[in-house]
Amino acid sequence: MRTQNEIIRRLLTPTGDTWAVVGLSSSRMRAAHGVAALLQRKGKRIVPVHPRAETVHGEPGYASLSAIPFPVDVVDVFVNSAAAGAVTDEAVAVGAKAVWFQLGVIDEAAVERARAAGLEVVADRCPAIEYARLGGDPAGGG
């Protein structure tokens, strides 16, 4: 089994993969807004997932993961811990390859369910911080 750091490198390295950002809205005051913009700048396709299904960063939003009409590689969980389990179960159901629980989103049972279903998991981390930690280059360069 890969370590969390190995999973982080693998998820942040390629461009062109699709990240569903659950909890992403048009509110610029929310952390999800800035993280999604960074992911997009790094070559990720972001998909806003929010009950209001708003267009964010030029990408149309969807009310749920199951409403997205194309495959999703990573589900970025930007909701409170109490809602993380349901998001995780939906990520498994739609065939996501990985679930990334943002800083402070803690649900150990959801983490274990995702792993048991064969998904890669990153827990209690933020992609923006991880890009910076990796020197801006997730492959490890400068």
Side-chain angles (χ1 to χ4, degrees), residues 40-94:
Q40 198 174 50
R41 286 193 306 273
K42 296 291 188 180
K44 309 299 183 185
R45 177 183 185 187
I46 59 113
V47 181
V49 180
H50 191 279
R52 289 193 301 265
E54 301 170 301
T55 295
V56 183
H57 301 306
E59 295 289 340
Y62 297 88
S64 65
L65 291 171
S66 60
I68 300 172
F70 46 82
V72 169
D73 299 305
V74 181
V75 173
D76 191 355
V77 184
F78 248 116
V79 297
N80 65 44
S81 298
V87 171
T88 302
D89 295 339
E90 195 175 11
V92 170
V94 301

Side-chain angles (χ1 to χ4, degrees), residues 7 10-12 14 17-22 39 44-47 49 65 68 71-77 91 95-101 119-120 122 127:
I7 293 169
R10 195 191 76 64
L11 293 178
L12 296 182
D17 52 346
T18 301
W19 285 53
V21 184
V22 180
L39 289 168
K44 309 299 183 185
R45 177 183 185 187
I46 59 113
V47 181
V49 180
L65 291 171
I68 300 172
V72 169
D73 299 305
V74 181
V75 173
D76 191 355
V77 184
K97 297 173 187 166
V99 178
W100 187 302
F101 297 90
L119 278 68
E120 291 186 304
V122 175

